[in-house]
Amino acid sequence: MPVRRGAQSFCRMGLKKQRFLEAEQPQNLQDGAQIPAPKEPCLRLPETSGLQRSIYFSSPKDPPHRLGNEFFDQPAVSLARALLGKVLVRRLNDGTELRGRIVETEAYLGPEDEAAHSRGGRQTPRNRGMFMKPGTLYVYIIYGMYFCMNVSSQGDGACVLLRALEPLEGQETMRKLRMTHRKSIASRALKDRELCSGPSKLCQALAIDKSFDQQDLAKDEAVWLEHSPPALSEPAVVAAARVGIGHAGEWTQKPLRFYVRGSPWVSVVDKAAERETQA
């Protein structure tokens, strides 16, 4: 709809009056300061600025709660306990993020530990990740088809095995990834508590394979650790014998497996160890 002639005249008069008043103002601006341009007193819609990224949303490559190098730089037993409750995140190639809270770990102490792959201080291309800086992933294969994921700790040849997760995000994707590794396609659908209740299961559910070996957990863009939301109370931690350790002498029964008491996502519950913990 065209603007009427009277309105046009009003706009011109208003603009002249505004310029006159500005000319009468004292010149108290500092040298080099810019004088604001006169505003048109005509009928115009105000300009709207584009959407701004909130400061509370970080770049996908820089998770706000990511654990850094200093967290991993501690002895294996201490790290195994500290990992409980932390959130393991896996970003797939399509951008999908899978999350699980760590509820079970195992500590391996290095050359002195007869159950460790680094026993005797031997270093091979396979176990090199165990001798790299704290926070380095050590991923190995068992039975020729299953993977296990460890995190190196303070001390040469020492690391922590991640044994079980509580699924938090992406359960359906985890289920599909697990199903691709099952022998029978007609097998029943897995329950949430079955998705990550074991070291190889969690690797299947998060699509972790040998390509992650020797990656830096503090910097990798496809897998990292985050702080968990603060809990109302500290969970009770059970210290029990490690699982599947044979022919390792006294190290077979050492209480170097740690899990969250009462968690339904733990792979193996040790009732005797729980009674000792209560005592």
Side-chain angles (χ1 to χ4, degrees):
M1 182 176 181
V3 180
R4 290 179 299 177
R5 182 175 301 175
Q8 292 175 339
S9 299
F10 175 79
C11 287
R12 287 196 294 272
M13 291 176 63
L15 181 57
K16 288 180 179 179
K17 184 176 180 181
Q18 181 177 352
R19 288 173 176 170
F20 174 79
L21 291 175
E22 289 173 350
E24 291 296 313
Q25 292 177 355
Q27 301 296 313
N28 57 358
L29 296 177
Q30 297 179 357
D31 293 341
Q34 296 183 352
I35 301 175
K39 297 181 180 179
E40 290 276 350
C42 296
L43 302 175
R44 291 186 180 180
L45 292 175
E47 294 183 1
T48 56
S49 59
L51 294 175
Q52 301 293 320
R53 177 177 288 274
S54 168
I55 61 173
Y56 299 104
F57 291 91
S58 62
S59 165
K61 294 185 179 181
D62 186 24
H65 305 296
R66 181 172 188 149
L67 294 170
N69 292 317
E70 64 283 353
F71 171 78
F72 303 104
D73 193 10
Q74 52 184 309
V77 171
S78 176
L79 180 61
R81 286 179 170 273
L83 283 168
L84 295 177
K86 301 301 184 289
V87 177
L88 182 65
V89 185
R90 168 77 166 95
R91 180 183 291 137
L92 303 178
N93 291 335
D94 63 359
T96 300
E97 290 188 356
L98 311 175
R99 279 178 166 78
R101 183 180 290 112
I102 299 173
V103 296
E104 184 181 2
T105 60
E106 280 182 355
Y108 289 86
L109 309 188
E112 64 177 310
D113 189 342
E114 289 297 322
H117 290 174
S118 58
R119 59 186 175 274
R122 60 184 180 182
Q123 184 176 167
T124 67
R126 180 198 185 207
N127 70 1
R128 184 169 180 270
M130 301 179 74
F131 292 86
M132 295 173 70
K133 77 179 188 67
T136 301
L137 290 179
Y138 168 44
V139 180
Y140 63 87
I141 191 169
I142 58 173
Y143 306 125
M145 59 187 299
Y146 300 119
F147 297 98
C148 293
M149 179 167 59
N150 302 257
V151 183
S152 68
S153 66
Q154 195 178 92
D156 281 349
C159 69
V160 176
L161 171 67
L162 304 184
R163 282 200 58 89
L165 305 176
E166 171 192 349
L168 299 176
E169 182 180 336
Q171 287 90 328
E172 286 308 312
T173 300
M174 292 182 187
R175 214 178 320 274
K176 291 176 183 178
L177 288 167
R178 282 292 317 281
M179 290 298 290
T180 61
H181 293 276
R182 304 190 77 190
K183 295 180 180 179
S184 174
I185 298 179
S187 299
R188 63 174 178 80
L190 293 169
K191 298 178 180 179
D192 283 1
R193 63 182 175 81
E194 299 173 300
L195 293 176
C196 304
S197 56
S200 296
K201 292 178 182 179
L202 74 83
C203 283
Q204 290 177 357
L206 270 59
I208 298 292
D209 56 24
K210 188 66 175 176
S211 67
F212 286 88
D213 186 43
Q214 299 181 23
Q215 295 302 307
D216 188 347
L217 197 52
K219 295 180 180 179
D220 199 274
E221 294 182 4
V223 61
W224 64 86
L225 280 175
E226 293 180 351
H227 287 287
S228 57
L232 295 178
S233 60
E234 287 293 326
V237 175
V238 178
R242 293 174 292 190
V243 177
I245 304 298
H247 310 293
E250 62 178 342
W251 291 89
T252 302
Q253 295 301 320
K254 284 189 178 293
L256 294 172
R257 179 169 66 99
F258 306 95
Y259 67 85
V260 176
R261 181 185 177 89
S263 171
W265 292 277
V266 170
S267 65
V268 179
V269 172
D270 190 325
K271 292 296 184 182
E274 290 189 2
R275 286 192 294 269
E276 292 179 8
T277 301
Q278 277 187 319

